[in-house]
Amino acid sequence: MSETLSLFTTRVHRAVFPKAGALNDDIVAAALSFAEDDEAGRRWSEENGYPGYTSYGSFTDLLSRAPCFAALKKLLDVEAARFAKTVHFDLGGGRLRLDNIWLNILEPGGFHAGHIHPHSVISGTYYAQVPDGASALKFEDPRLPMMMAAPPRDDAAPADLRNFVYLAPTAGTALMWESWLRHEVVRNDADDLRISVSFNYRWE
Ligand SMILES: [Fe+2]
């Protein structure tokens, strides 16, 4: 008898909200209006090479700026709790708290290089507007730096054995992962804006 065990797996949580049309419309409208009014955010985006607009460097109070963000938080809190259960987090009497949340408007041709989210336990993004051809999210096998002599995977490799996995979300989808998982937004090949809301949960 022989068997192959699957160990040290990496989970990515996907939640699709089919009735999110009105929520998405509100988020898109708010995003476009903030991008116009938020001069500090526009400056931050430019100085930090963000191709479009992000409120990451300017707003710390996004949740109270429009009701759609408070509504989104409710959905995300439920999904974060589900994900925490899936990955068997033992929070030891503590809890997961949404730590920061920010808007992203990615222009055509824009991308965001690979990164992780330090000081957080769960990170993710909710997609409000995803035009055809818009950027997928690319996840990287966290063991990649240790694979010096490993052969590449063949074309038939399932997603859980690949070194890179691309997920192309639709509007109304939230993706969540553990914050140490490196990810990257590949080039936006759509000729329209891709609008999303990213967030971190902290353990406290
Ligand atoms: Fe990120």
Side-chain angles (χ1 to χ4, degrees), residues 104-168:
N104 309 291
I105 302 181
L106 189 70
E107 286 176 346
F111 60 90
H112 191 193
H115 61 280
I116 58 172
H117 292 232
H119 313 300
S120 301
V121 293
I122 293 176
S123 296
T125 298
Y126 175 79
Y127 298 88
Q129 175 171 295
V130 185
D132 283 348
S135 307
L137 194 58
K138 178 184 180 183
F139 292 98
E140 177 183 313
D141 186 336
R143 295 160 297 187
L144 205 57
M146 294 169 249
M147 292 180 183
M148 290 188 302
R153 310 288 178 180
D154 65 28
D155 291 345
D160 63 345
L161 280 173
R162 289 181 182 270
N163 298 135
F164 299 100
V165 175
Y166 296 80
L167 295 182

Side-chain angles (χ1 to χ4, degrees), residues 3 7 29 33 37 53 66 75 77 117 145 160-161 176 180 186 196:
E3 62 178 337
L7 302 177
S33 130
D37 298 341
Y53 164 80
L75 300 177
D77 281 348
H117 292 232
D160 63 345
L161 280 173
M176 290 183 189
W180 43 256
V186 300
S196 61

